[in-house]
Amino acid sequence: MRLLPRLLLLVASCVVGGQALAHGVAPEDQLFLQNASGVHLLPFIYLGAKHMVTGYDHLLFLVGVIFFLYRLREVAAYVTLFAIGHSVTLLFGVLSGLQIDAYLIDAIIGFSVVYKALDNLGAFQTWFGIQPNTKAAVLIFGFFHGFGLATKLQDFTLSADGLVPNILAFNVGVELGQVLALSAILIVMTYWRAAPSFTRYATAANVLLMAAGFVLVGYQLTGYFVAEVPAS
C-alpha cells in the first residue's frame, strides 16, 4: 500500500480515535476569539488558514473531489465552486446570526465525504443508471461546509467592533489554507498516480474514504441525539 492510502488510513484512524473533531477550536484560539475587539486582520487570517488545514472533514472531501481529476483546469474549476459555496455560507451564517445545529451540519459534511467516495466508485451509475452533476454537488456541499465553519464561530461571542473585516479576513485565511492543503494533496496524488499501485488501490482508497465519512456522520449524529436527551 503506497503513500496516499497510508495517509487516508491515518486520517481514518484519527477519526475513529476521536481526535478529528470536525471543527474543533484550540483553547488559545477560543480565548482570542472571545476577547478580540476591533480589527485584527492577520490573526483572523491565520485562524482561518489553520482551521482549514487542520479540518479533517474538509480535507477528506477535497481528496475525494480531486481524486480522479488530472487536469489543473478541472481541479481549479471544482475547487473554485467549493470555495464559492463555503465562502457564501460562512459569511452569511456569521454576519446574519442564522443558527443551525452544529451536529446536523457536521453530519451532512461527513455525508459529503461519503457521497464523493461513492461518486468516485461509480456507485450512482451502477445503482440508479444516472450520474449526478458533480460540479453542482461540490457547490452544494460547499454551502454546508461553510455553515460548518460558521457554527464554530457562532459558539463565541464575537465583538461587533471590527466583526465584518475580521470575518472577511477569516474567510481569506480559509481560502489560503485550502490552497496550502490542496497543494500538498496534489503533490501526493501526482506522485501516487505515477506508481503502479494507483490502479490497484484506487478503489480501496475510496472505500476507506467512504468509511471515514460514515464515521464522521455517526459521531455527529451520536452527539446530536445525546445532546437532545434531557439530563436526569
Side-chain angles (χ1 to χ4, degrees):
M1 189 175 292
R2 298 291 182 176
L3 183 57
L4 187 66
R6 288 177 180 175
L7 290 176
L8 287 172
L9 183 59
L10 177 62
V11 171
S13 300
C14 290
V15 173
V16 173
Q19 299 175 33
L21 306 183
H23 295 290
V25 179
E28 63 272 18
D29 296 337
Q30 294 180 23
L31 184 63
F32 171 79
L33 289 170
Q34 292 282 23
N35 296 327
S37 179
V39 178
H40 300 276
L41 298 183
L42 290 179
F44 272 86
I45 289 174
Y46 166 75
L47 289 176
K50 178 181 178 182
H51 197 80
M52 175 59 77
V53 170
T54 58
Y56 291 91
D57 49 359
H58 301 304
L59 299 184
L60 287 171
F61 183 69
L62 288 175
V63 167
V65 168
I66 69 169
F67 199 90
F68 288 120
L69 297 180
Y70 292 86
R71 296 179 180 177
L72 190 58
R73 181 184 301 177
E74 293 179 331
V75 173
Y78 279 89
V79 172
T80 298
L81 286 171
F82 179 67
I84 291 172
H86 73 64
S87 295
V88 168
T89 48
L90 166 61
L91 295 172
F92 177 75
V94 174
L95 297 179
S96 71
L98 178 64
Q99 296 284 336
I100 301 178
D101 189 279
Y103 285 116
L104 293 181
I105 287 295
D106 284 346
I108 294 173
I109 291 174
F111 176 74
S112 74
V113 178
V114 175
Y115 175 92
K116 200 66 196 76
L118 287 172
D119 187 32
N120 290 343
L121 292 168
F124 303 114
Q125 189 68 248
T126 301
W127 295 344
F128 309 113
I130 59 171
Q131 175 56 51
N133 188 308
T134 52
K135 288 184 178 179
V138 169
L139 176 63
I140 291 170
F141 281 124
F143 290 141
F144 286 104
H145 279 254
F147 268 126
L149 291 167
T151 58
K152 275 299 115 183
L153 292 178
Q154 289 172 343
D155 285 343
F156 310 104
T157 304
L158 300 178
S159 172
D161 183 14
L163 178 61
V164 172
N166 285 340
I167 294 303
L168 289 173
F170 184 87
N171 189 66
V172 169
V174 167
E175 300 310 323
L176 291 175
Q178 179 174 282
V179 170
L180 291 173
L182 190 60
S183 297
I185 293 170
L186 281 172
I187 290 172
V188 174
M189 289 294 299
T190 301
Y191 172 78
W192 186 35
R193 285 166 179 165
S197 61
F198 181 75
T199 302
R200 294 199 301 268
Y201 293 114
T203 297
N206 276 284
V207 170
L208 184 58
L209 192 67
M210 178 176 59
F214 273 125
V215 171
L216 284 172
V217 173
Y219 178 87
Q220 298 300 336
L221 289 181
T222 299
Y224 173 75
F225 287 114
V226 169
E228 289 293 304
V229 176
S232 57

